[in-house]
Each structure stands twice: as structure tokens, then as C-alpha cells.
């Protein structure tokens, strides 16, 4: 599993909407948005994006898990860069 976090200057809702768009653009399937949480599957890998308010900013936590370490790292990086 690879993870990453960052602070964004947008609402958690917008962060989650962008998360859905990003996962779809990367070819993830079964993308689900539940409040400000987003989940999706890419082959045998799973990604999760969690967007929450922290000190008037949005803290976003990205996690990607799967057996192919190189692919998991690549997916995590792509998601992070696009956010």
C-alpha cells in the first residue's frame, strides 16, 4: 500500500468530486462517492480518497493498495498530482 496526503484550498465536497473525476480518467472501475470519500478499483488494486476540513482547508488522504508495488505507486502518484 502506498499513501499520500496534502492540504488543498477548496472544499471537501469539491475535493471529492475531483477525486471521482480523477479515478474515472485513470480508468478505475466501480468508482463510488460516499459523502467526501471516494473509492475505486483498478484491476486488482483499490484506491481511496478521503477529504476532510482541517483549519479552514481541506486535508486529503490518498491510499492505493494492491499486489503490484510499482503500479500501486504509479497510481498513487497520478492521483496526487492531479489533485
Amino acid at each position: 500500500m502506498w499513501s499520500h496526503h496534502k492540504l488543498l484550498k477548496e472544499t471537501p465536497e469539491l475535493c471529492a468530486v475531483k477525486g471521482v473525476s480523477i479515478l474515472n480518467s485513470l480508468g478505475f472501475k466501480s468508482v463510488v462517492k460516499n459523502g467526501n470519500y471516494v473509492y475505486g478499483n483498478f484491476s486488482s488494486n483499490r484506491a481511496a480518497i478521503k477529504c476532510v476540513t482541517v483549519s479552514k482547508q481541506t486535508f486529503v488522504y490518498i491510499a492505493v493498495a494492491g499486489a503490484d508495488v510499482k503500479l500501486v505507486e504509479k497510481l498513487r502518484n497520478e492521483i496526487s498530482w492531479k489533485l
Side-chain angles (χ1 to χ4, degrees), residues 6-36:
K6 60 180 13 177
L7 286 173
L8 303 175
K9 294 181 180 182
E10 58 194 35
T11 66
E13 175 63 25
L14 179 57
C15 170
V17 168
K18 285 173 75 174
V20 168
S21 177
I22 290 166
L23 293 186
N24 284 326
S25 74
L26 292 173
F28 279 76
K29 304 295 181 203
S30 304
V31 176
V32 175
K33 180 178 170 292
N34 183 2
N36 295 326

Side-chain angles (χ1 to χ4, degrees), residues 27-56:
F28 279 76
K29 304 295 181 203
S30 304
V31 176
V32 175
K33 180 178 170 292
N34 183 2
N36 295 326
Y37 302 90
V38 180
Y39 307 91
N41 300 316
F42 186 93
S43 187
S44 61
N45 305 292
R46 179 100 166 139
I49 301 170
K50 180 178 181 180
C51 307
V52 296
T53 301
V54 174
S55 300
K56 298 181 183 179

Side-chain angles (χ1 to χ4, degrees), residues 55-67:
S55 300
K56 298 181 183 179
Q57 292 183 331
T58 296
F59 177 86
V60 59
Y61 180 77
I62 304 153
V64 182

